[in-house]
Amino acid sequence: MATSAPTSSSTTTTTTSSSSSAGGGGAADPNSTNLRPPGSSYDAWCGVAHGCTRKLGMKICGFLQKNDSLEERSRIVSFLKERTASNLLSCDNMEGEARFRRTETDFSNLFARDLLPAKNGEEVTLQFLLEIVEILTSYVRKTFDRSTKVLDFHHPHQLLEGIEGFNLELSDQPESLEQILVDCRDTLKYGVRTGHPRFFNQLSTGLDIVGLAGEWLTSTANTNMFTYEIAPVFVLMEQLTLKKMREIIGWPNGEGDGIFSPGGAISNMYSVMVARYKFFPEVKTKGMAAAPRLILFTSEHSHYSIKKASAALGFGTENLILLSTDEKGRVIPADLEAKIIKAKQKGHVPLFVNATAGTTVYGAFDPINEIADICEKYNIWLHVDGAWGGGLLMSRKHKHKLDGVHRANSVTWNPHKMMGVPLQCSAIMVRERGLLQGCNSMCAGYLFQPDKQYDVTYDTGDKAIQCGRHVDIFKFWLMWKAKGTVGFEQHIDKCLDLSAYLYSKIKDREGFEMVFSGEPQHTNVCFWYIPPSIRGMPDGKERRERLHKVAPKIKALMMESGTTMVGYQPQGDKVNFFRMVISNPAATRSDIDFLIDEIERLGHEL
Amino acid sequence: MATSAPTSSSTTTTTTSSSSSAGGGGAADPNSTNLRPPGSSYDAWCGVAHGCTRKLGMKICGFLQKNDSLEERSRIVSFLKERTASNLLSCDNMEGEARFRRTETDFSNLFARDLLPAKNGEEVTLQFLLEIVEILTSYVRKTFDRSTKVLDFHHPHQLLEGIEGFNLELSDQPESLEQILVDCRDTLKYGVRTGHPRFFNQLSTGLDIVGLAGEWLTSTANTNMFTYEIAPVFVLMEQLTLKKMREIIGWPNGEGDGIFSPGGAISNMYSVMVARYKFFPEVKTKGMAAAPRLILFTSEHSHYSIKKASAALGFGTENLILLSTDEKGRVIPADLEAKIIKAKQKGHVPLFVNATAGTTVYGAFDPINEIADICEKYNIWLHVDGAWGGGLLMSRKHKHKLDGVHRANSVTWNPHKMMGVPLQCSAIMVRERGLLQGCNSMCAGYLFQPDKQYDVTYDTGDKAIQCGRHVDIFKFWLMWKAKGTVGFEQHIDKCLDLSAYLYSKIKDREGFEMVFSGEPQHTNVCFWYIPPSIRGMPDGKERRERLHKVAPKIKALMMESGTTMVGYQPQGDKVNFFRMVISNPAATRSDIDFLIDEIERLGHEL
């Protein structure tokens, strides 16, 4: 057995491999614990003390052992023995608790094979998991601490070479559990704190504690959504939650269908598949050859997943027509109608329109009602991609931005974005019941037996394009229980307030220029920072080229200093600009102020 | 604020809302902790004791407070004070530890809003997470305990009606954290213990502790695989692990490409997409209309995901040709060649052959080398679906069953099945580099900026059909570190030994009949149990009809008694039979014996 010494950059924080004693309730693994055999009276008490108190007990024992005053020793020991005898200090009635107590365990000679289901593996398992939890809770605490960095940036080659002993290579022989713990610490150390109050880089930010607890439970339950048989509670939670979401969308009595999928791109892909099945069900068996040339429509500002779906599902990206938008990034309905008419004139068949509720860059909400009028007129499937903006339906103040969403045939809504649910959590909902099943079912006999003892309509797996399906519902259900609908509403209102605050602070500030005028619809605030060296320059090619390099340069400096993270990108003919988005529940006005100052600090000399 | 009393079936196990004291390091939330102000000398010591030791400290305090002997009190207190002053008993140098100590916390008046990022939310957060971990570790312990049930079955309507107060409905107002903890206990109580040594129902079973730790860390890191920027360590781990897997497949130097996807069905879908892109890249832009009639081939025993892919991607299920198999469920190569020739004669274009390495029901391994010869002869893409059987590549003893896998153009391999990695963990690997990217990339400017400061070839997101992608790699990487390649090998060899044991026990046993003759190739053992009432019957319609009902009936009784779980299904013209599969690392020979006895016990009177 190759037992290499643990290597790490963070050995100073390890609490393992110190003292030798461990004990207490639960079945102790003889390989992992070295119970001191009770010899003298103080040794005997040490056993009790260790069993109950760990460090305090060890310290008392240490004192007893080192103390030369026989008199004091005997006095203390006799007191302690008395108490123990009278059950005052004993562990007898603390069984449940004793089973849940971190003790000093030397993991350097313990391996994965010593954990459950190993014989007597219970105590090692508990201690190992508690060490992990200590690492994780310490990470959680630091995540919310503004005095810590958002990230500690390293280039790929640096991490691959192995920084301070962090070795990513896999080997034939097992590593000790101590090394595994070190690896866990290092993994977090070199990662990015996406829950940090100053992490604004993505649409999914923040670290919801109840959601986190839900994920821990989900992975412990380690089951699969395809049948009620092995996920009874989760299957029902999914049904109830989807119904509630459909009620909020405004479909009568929350009727319809839906499923949680592995992300917004897959949810959007479902919508295209279901639309095709609704109008051309024969494509399922005969392929696209059975259908005329089908055309899909989406905004030029929409998410690239619609384009990915058009390629994957056999439509072809050329049959996805991009719609023009107004200055704020919203689809112009007249453009949609003109393009539908043009497609029909060519003999093509308009099948599907995607209206985005909250575009990725501008946060624009397409005018759903006007688009729905056109879809109804031409009998076209209307999908609303609310992956990013769907969360606003939880807010009485902001839901009007999705007016008309109840007219959609399908809706994507990602609770893992604006609602702060941990990744992954995305729902595709379909207004007409039965289509998801009809589109995707293949009736595999080995999975969906019709002769089960329970109501097999709860076996939802055949609706999916997946077979095994991860349990994405529990964390979301638990958060909803814990926050209530009002809690989500408060979170969303707060984020939108913060983005309004940011907008108001920079719209007239020297050195800042907005990408589009007027208040943003979502939390997306898009702007250029103009360093003093460029401010006086006339508009033109040279200025544009220089400005294009500013955001990447500031972002690089930001990541190297690790102080905050915000995204940038070009869009159409607009050179690189910052896209600030706020979904992070930990962010406050002071973090917005910090971001502005930091951009100025890092960009001032460019 | 509606603060309803927590309702639950399992209130007896709750340790909340008991005593009042909590304290110690970390920022204490004044809403949650009630520090006793130090008054008299023993009160002062109680503060220290509580800070360090919880229950032991409380008991000493209780003793001191109740003790009438002033002399003894002062004697003990003076001892304790002395030690405290000399830092022997104090918490001063235990800061890290004090931050990680479960204290008695009353969660009934605490809510999600009291957790981080709430001001002073640190201690409540820690205590809440520790309560969760107590629930989870208790569940883990019970999972491996054969004296507990595999499941506590209830029908959907029973759970929906709310058993013993477990209420699945969501509400507008928040629930207390105490209720959330109760909900977590109930969720586990009414679920299925997929890690129980007697859970054999699915290809994915077991609960690997290191993998579990990896999932807890993954959800705490809560990030996304699309860019190196926000998942530097995980992106590199994925690259290294996929390379290692490709080396094991036998591609020179582990060259090629790959990605982790949300399950084997999606991985198989990728393989079809990439094959189409390789031969007909114009389909990406022009759709299926740009290609001739393309034909896919797969075994009649293969997984239904190939059929789902043929429907979703626009081929049509009629253009998926099913191949005949031998008695053990293996593709007959001559049948493949005949069907290829027939398709070509019709003017169709054979595009893609799927060879299954470990079929879902029989566990059959198609003869890859012979199939590869045919694919090479006709220039057809060869995919190997090793979702279930890929794990055998880790075993020197059993890898020969996949001989020829290195000749495949793409391979699906699900570590979440035979290798015991928690759900979800599935890899699609492609021999030719660049195809995944070419097939799926859409170059979204807002995600994949070419002007980042690091080597952007590490931004792997554009290879995927997803946008956001869950971190599925870490748990697998961590397990590989912890077990080594040899650990996976031992696990696989052990499972196959167990299935050989099962086969040897029942092949000639009265009342059991094998579905196919000879030793199974994988851990799948397929058999009928024939109750005495049927044993004497002549083969024919009536016997078949009665036998068809036996497995569902036994399965229903099994679930109601909760003792074990194993799957059943019909296949082709074969009536319902049991499919035993062993991937559970906790299973032993005694569990196999138990299963046989249990089937006989439950089925004897049918």
Side-chain angles (χ1 to χ4, degrees), chain A residues 294-435:
Chain A
L294 303 174
I295 308 294
L296 318 171
F297 301 86
T298 193
S299 153
E300 60 189 10
H301 276 243
S302 71
H303 190 259
Y304 73 149
S305 55
I306 303 289
K307 202 169 168 188
K308 289 214 176 198
S310 73
L313 304 179
F315 292 85
T317 53
E318 287 178 7
N319 294 311
L320 171 67
I321 308 287
L322 296 184
L323 304 172
S324 303
T325 58
D326 65 16
E327 203 261 346
K328 286 187 163 187
R330 297 172 297 203
V331 158
I332 299 166
D335 186 61
L336 168 63
E337 182 154 21
K339 283 170 176 163
I340 289 171
I341 291 167
K342 202 170 157 194
K344 288 169 78 82
Q345 282 167 347
K346 288 184 188 168
H348 306 162
V349 176
L351 176 78
F352 170 98
V353 173
N354 172 58
T356 307
T359 59
T360 311
V361 180
Y362 283 18
F365 287 80
D366 289 338
I368 301 175
N369 266 322
E370 292 170 68
I371 294 171
D373 289 343
I374 297 168
C375 288
E376 281 169 16
K377 182 172 170 186
Y378 295 96
N379 194 27
I380 301 175
W381 185 278
L382 172 59
H383 175 66
V384 171
D385 176 5
W388 171 226
L392 270 62
L393 288 169
M394 307 298 279
S395 159
R396 283 164 286 194
K397 188 172 167 193
H398 295 286
K399 65 188 297 183
H400 68 89
K401 293 167 186 172
L402 290 99
D403 273 354
V405 66
H406 65 285
R407 297 171 68 186
N409 299 95
S410 54
V411 176
T412 292
W413 176 352
N414 287 9
H416 74 213
K417 291 198 165 79
M418 195 60 204
M419 292 167 76
V421 178
L423 290 160
Q424 59 191 40
C425 191
S426 169
I428 170 69
M429 283 160 291
V430 180
R431 194 169 65 195
E432 183 177 330
R433 213 173 165 75
L435 288 181

Side-chain angles (χ1 to χ4, degrees), chain B residues 497-561:
Chain B
D497 282 354
L498 272 183
S499 71
Y501 172 75
L502 169 62
Y503 171 73
S504 71
K505 277 206 70 163
I506 61 173
K507 73 179 155 75
D508 300 319
R509 190 182 182 102
E510 196 188 352
F512 287 81
E513 195 178 308
M514 305 309 293
V515 172
F516 58 88
S517 61
E519 215 166 304
Q521 293 185 278
H522 205 325
T523 70
N524 307 49
V525 180
C526 296
F527 61 91
W528 289 281
Y529 172 71
I530 322 278
S533 67
I534 305 182
R535 282 179 207 168
M537 288 177 70
D539 198 12
K541 187 158 176 279
E542 198 198 333
R543 184 178 188 270
R544 285 171 50 82
E545 278 174 5
R546 287 190 56 184
L547 185 55
H548 189 57
K549 290 177 185 156
V550 170
K553 187 70 192 155
I554 292 176
K555 173 70 176 274
L557 294 169
M558 216 176 238
M559 286 179 66
E560 270 149 37
S561 61

Side-chain angles (χ1 to χ4, degrees), chain B residues 238-259 406 411 413 428-433 436 463 480:
Chain B
E238 182 173 85
Q239 283 211 352
L240 289 170
T241 307
L242 285 170
K243 184 166 190 288
K244 189 103 180 166
M245 293 170 84
R246 290 191 302 260
E247 284 169 9
I248 290 167
I249 286 171
W251 291 340
N253 302 314
E255 290 290 317
D257 207 343
I259 201 164
H406 66 285
V411 176
W413 176 352
I428 170 68
M429 283 161 291
V430 180
R431 195 169 63 195
E432 184 178 329
R433 214 173 164 75
L436 265 177
K463 283 184 201 177
W480 204 322

Side-chain angles (χ1 to χ4, degrees), chain A residues 15 79 141 154 236 254 323 470 493 507 537 566 586:
Chain A
T15 60
F79 158 71
R141 197 176 60 241
H154 294 83
L236 296 177
L323 304 172
H470 190 259
D493 288 350
K507 73 179 156 74
M537 286 176 72
V566 57

Side-chain angles (χ1 to χ4, degrees), chain A residues 88-105:
Chain A
L88 246 176
L89 300 178
S90 86
C91 301
D92 291 357
N93 56 0
M94 301 187 204
E95 196 197 2
E97 180 197 343
R99 280 185 174 151
F100 186 74
R101 200 187 49 252
R102 188 159 153 251
T103 58
E104 298 282 335
T105 306

Side-chain angles (χ1 to χ4, degrees), chain B residues 12 31 39 88 101 116 219 226 300 340 347 365 455 459 487:
Chain B
T12 49
N31 296 321
L88 247 175
R101 200 188 49 253
L116 284 171
S219 44
F226 40 48
E300 61 190 11
I340 289 171
F365 287 78
D455 178 356
D459 286 355

Side-chain angles (χ1 to χ4, degrees), chain B residues 430-442:
Chain B
V430 180
R431 195 169 63 195
E432 184 178 329
R433 214 173 164 75
L435 288 181
L436 265 177
Q437 182 81 20
C439 178
N440 294 307
S441 72
M442 298 292 161

